[in-house]
């Protein structure tokens, strides 16, 4: 039976996904689920032609630290199970003027070159990084006719956001970064009692309340942001201004740059929308 939410959204697009693993892990995305990332990239039944994960590997440490060696090799194996090609960049060690050793394993150039060379066979490219060094790569890919999407968590270049055809915070994608409470209580993302992440889409300062918008599921039609639309993957949650964290200035709301994590509770006023409680600001 055809899912009613896919009507008019099925795609024959060919997708390439390029993940700057070190950048993601350093900037809020440690623990990202690569099977969920693949599902998001192919959310409209598109075909994933390229799935590349660019990783760093410390050869010296691997020789001496068996825990590190086993852990990282297992991590690489999991990525391969999900269909990702693991492009390994070995850490090179240097000394500064004071004799301090430091390691570097920058995979940016490899990732950029691969994305550009492989784009001739792609319709859509998903870059998973917040690094502003990829701005020119985004422009070049667009000039080749590719639609470019960017997903990242924290410390994201604002210019990279602007250049992309679509930017989406990784925090907003259901289960991309699992919520511990949901796992412990075996609650699905979006169910009453679950913890989800979203942003303030409306706030009425004179009345002291507003609405959070959050993705209820991974689905096409991300441009249909009105949660009242049947085919929108978004849902709305009511909140009272008094439940916002102290560090949030309500004069800055609504604001899509503020990502909130909150628990969904059933409305006591028989409203359709759930209520956002235990709100905290991420990043």
């Amino acid at each position: 039976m055809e899912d009613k939410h896919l009507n008019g959204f099925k795609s024959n697009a060919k997708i390439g996904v390029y993940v700057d693993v070190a950048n993601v892990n350093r900037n809020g995305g440690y623990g990202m689920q690569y099977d969920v990332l693949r599902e998001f990239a192919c959310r409209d039944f598109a075909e994933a032609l390229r799935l590349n994960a660019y990783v760093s590997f410390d050869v010296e440490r691997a020789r001496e630290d068996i825990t590190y060696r086993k852990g990282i090799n297992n991590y690489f194996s999991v990525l391969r199970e999900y269909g990702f090609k693991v492009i390994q960049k070995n850490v090179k060690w240097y000394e500064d003027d004071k004799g301090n050793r430091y390691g570097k394993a920058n995979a940016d150039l490899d990732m950029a070159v691969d994305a550009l060379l492989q784009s001739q066979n792609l319709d859509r490219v998903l870059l998973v990084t917040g690094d502003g060094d990829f701005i020119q790569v985004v422009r070049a890919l667009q000039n080749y006719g590719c639609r470019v999407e960017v997903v990242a968590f924290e410390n994201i270049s604002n210019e990279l956001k602007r250049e992309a055809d679509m930017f989406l915070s990784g925090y907003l994608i259901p289960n991309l970064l699992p919520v511990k409470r949901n796992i412990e209580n075996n609650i699905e993302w979006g169910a009453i009692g679950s913890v989800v992440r979203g942003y303030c889409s409306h706030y009425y300062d004179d009345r002291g309340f507003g609405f959070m918008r959050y993705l209820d599921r991974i689905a096409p039609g991300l441009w249909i942001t009105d949660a009242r639309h049947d085919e929108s993957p978004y849902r709305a949650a009511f909140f009272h201004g008094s439940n916002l964290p102290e560090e949030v200035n309500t004069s800055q709301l609504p604001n899509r740059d503020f990502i909130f994590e909150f628990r969904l509770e059933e409305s006591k006023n028989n409203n359709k929308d759930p209520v956002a409680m235990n709100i905290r600001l991420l990043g």
Side-chain angles (χ1 to χ4, degrees):
M1 183 177 179
E2 188 170 359
D3 188 332
K4 67 178 181 179
H5 296 298
L6 292 176
N7 292 336
F9 292 118
K10 285 193 175 181
S11 167
N12 294 316
K14 295 178 174 59
I15 310 301
V17 181
Y18 300 84
V19 187
D20 184 351
V21 174
N23 178 275
V24 169
N25 288 346
R26 284 196 310 266
N27 295 290
Y30 184 80
M32 182 178 73
Q33 303 298 292
Y34 284 79
D35 53 340
V36 177
L37 178 66
R38 178 172 183 162
E39 180 187 355
F40 173 77
C42 301
R43 60 192 178 272
D44 52 358
F45 279 63
E47 179 185 1
L49 283 191
R50 298 302 321 156
L51 294 164
N52 289 4
Y54 298 81
V55 301
S56 59
F57 182 73
D58 190 337
V59 177
E60 289 186 22
R61 184 178 175 187
R63 287 197 203 101
E64 302 169 0
D65 186 342
I66 188 170
T67 302
Y68 169 79
R69 185 170 69 248
K70 286 184 175 180
I72 199 148
N73 284 332
N74 182 62
Y75 177 52
F76 293 170
S77 296
V78 170
L79 294 181
R80 293 186 182 102
E81 285 176 2
Y82 292 143
F84 283 81
K85 179 178 180 179
V86 177
I87 294 94
Q88 181 176 309
K89 193 78 171 178
N90 291 340
V91 175
K92 293 183 178 180
W93 290 93
Y94 304 90
E95 282 191 7
D96 61 19
D97 295 338
K98 297 180 180 179
N100 298 315
R101 294 183 81 231
Y102 63 96
K104 291 182 69 176
N106 195 330
D108 289 5
L109 182 59
D110 301 57
M111 182 167 151
V113 170
D114 287 349
L116 291 170
L117 290 178
Q118 295 165 10
S119 65
Q120 60 184 320
N121 298 313
L122 303 173
D123 302 304
R124 191 163 78 216
V125 170
L126 173 60
L127 299 178
V128 187
T129 181
D131 193 338
D133 289 345
F134 285 95
I135 293 167
Q136 292 296 340
V137 178
V138 171
R139 292 171 180 161
L141 289 168
Q142 290 167 336
N143 287 335
Y144 287 155
C146 287
R147 176 175 174 81
V148 183
E149 301 176 349
V150 171
V151 167
F153 294 87
E154 296 176 6
N155 299 320
I156 308 154
S157 162
N158 284 326
E159 193 172 356
L160 181 65
K161 288 183 184 180
R162 290 193 294 268
E163 289 297 327
D165 295 301
M166 184 191 78
F167 168 77
L168 189 65
S169 169
Y171 286 122
L172 299 177
I173 299 173
N175 301 314
L176 182 62
L177 197 65
V179 178
K180 186 177 179 181
R181 173 188 165 86
N182 293 349
I183 296 172
E184 291 176 344
N185 293 282
N186 195 27
I187 303 176
E188 291 187 11
W189 174 293
I192 295 297
S194 69
V195 174
V196 299
R197 306 183 187 106
Y199 59 88
C200 177
S201 59
H202 297 84
Y203 188 73
Y204 305 96
D205 205 17
D206 57 332
R207 301 165 72 180
F209 70 85
F211 291 90
M212 296 288 183
R213 178 179 291 155
Y214 63 95
L215 271 172
D216 180 59
R217 63 189 184 278
I218 293 176
L222 292 177
W223 54 274
I224 309 176
T225 56
D226 187 344
R228 296 169 296 183
H229 195 294
D230 288 342
E231 292 185 322
S232 173
Y234 292 92
R235 291 293 175 264
F238 172 89
F239 72 92
H240 198 278
S242 61
N243 289 326
L244 288 170
E246 291 182 359
E247 65 268 29
V248 176
N249 185 339
T250 56
S251 67
Q252 296 178 283
L253 299 179
N255 192 322
R256 285 169 169 75
D257 290 330
F258 291 172
I259 305 298
F260 296 97
E261 187 174 271
F262 48 91
R263 188 179 73 248
L264 296 175
E265 291 192 359
E266 196 166 355
S267 172
K268 296 179 181 178
N269 298 320
N270 296 320
N271 292 328
K272 178 183 176 182
D273 296 325
V275 178
M277 300 294 294
N278 295 94
I279 303 170
R280 72 182 187 95
L281 183 65
L282 296 178

